[in-house]
Amino acid sequence: MKFVFTDKKVTLPASVHAYAEKKVGKLDRYFKTEGEASVVFSVEKDRNVCEITVRSGSMILRASESTSDMRASIDACVSGMERQIRKNKARLEKRLRTDAFERTVDAAEVSDFAPEEEESEFRIVRTKRFPIKHMTVEEAVLQMNLVGHTFFAFKNADADGAFSVVYTRNGGGYGLIEDDV
């Protein structure tokens, strides 16, 4: 697995990067192709934040954790990613290695072991139908704010009526998702 480390607002010793490489490297057994892991370390309000994004083929896994200790944040991220993979293993079967879930338990992994959760079906609980109108991005952001939603779908008048979505970003500001036609 290839690693890219980014330190934001913090300078970490090489031992933390090595620790992250060792822990995230354990996820490599799930993928058919060699994955690329992007690990971002930051400190926000005296909390150590670790964000891990793993790309392998067409599959992208992402987890973010915040604790008082950077190593604990790394452990929590990796554990969350393993939980995501186990929870969706039936849906991901075509993309994962065939022997990915055959594991031998050694003493170092016993404390990290989490029981497998039962897989639930995707359940649509509500369907809404509404006409998607042609409008500019600015009009869509205004409409989204008026209805109080965190996203809004529309046909982008600036892009010849392509389907687009505007959304509110966690860090502030807005995002735009456009159809790649």
Side-chain angles (χ1 to χ4, degrees):
M1 186 173 289
K2 298 175 188 170
F3 290 91
V4 176
F5 294 104
T6 307
D7 296 349
K8 291 184 178 177
K9 302 182 211 171
V10 66
T11 304
L12 295 173
S15 63
V16 174
H17 290 192
Y19 182 79
E21 195 169 323
K22 176 185 168 197
K23 289 293 187 173
V24 176
K26 290 181 180 180
L27 296 174
D28 205 25
R29 72 170 186 252
Y30 293 110
F31 308 117
K32 290 180 182 176
T33 61
E34 183 179 21
E36 181 179 310
S38 171
V39 184
V40 178
F41 300 108
S42 62
V43 175
E44 296 174 3
K45 298 181 184 176
D46 297 328
R47 303 285 293 170
N48 293 295
V49 180
C50 177
E51 297 175 10
I52 301 173
T53 305
V54 177
R55 289 179 176 84
S56 177
S58 63
M59 187 167 57
I60 299 174
L61 289 173
R62 185 179 181 287
S64 177
E65 290 294 335
S66 170
T67 64
S68 59
D69 178 45
M70 193 59 78
R71 293 177 194 262
S73 295
I74 294 167
D75 289 341
C77 270
V78 171
S79 159
M81 291 178 131
E82 284 185 328
R83 198 170 27 257
Q84 286 177 24
I85 291 170
R86 281 193 188 100
K87 183 177 177 184
N88 295 297
K89 75 177 180 183
R91 292 182 191 100
L92 296 173
E93 267 179 349
K94 293 176 224 147
R95 300 179 186 172
L96 297 177
R97 280 188 20 212
T98 54
D99 59 346
F101 292 96
E102 295 173 12
R103 63 187 271 171
T104 58
V105 180
D106 61 342
E109 290 188 24
V110 171
S111 62
D112 291 342
F113 180 74
E116 290 188 19
E117 298 174 13
E118 245 184 70
E119 184 178 330
S120 62
E121 299 235 355
F122 293 127
R123 197 172 70 118
I124 306 295
V125 293
R126 183 175 181 186
T127 301
K128 279 186 163 183
R129 295 185 188 278
F130 61 93
I132 298 178
K133 299 179 180 173
H134 285 269
M135 58 181 67
T136 65
V137 174
E138 290 79 19
E139 291 171 329
V141 170
L142 177 63
Q143 188 64 44
M144 175 183 66
N145 289 335
L146 289 174
V147 295
H149 290 178
T150 57
F151 69 94
F152 189 79
F154 67 103
K155 290 182 183 175
N156 193 341
D158 299 334
D160 298 327
F163 179 78
S164 301
V165 176
V166 291
Y167 61 95
T168 307
R169 294 183 50 86
N170 291 337
Y174 299 99
L176 175 66
I177 301 172
E178 295 181 315
D179 186 11
D180 188 22
V181 179

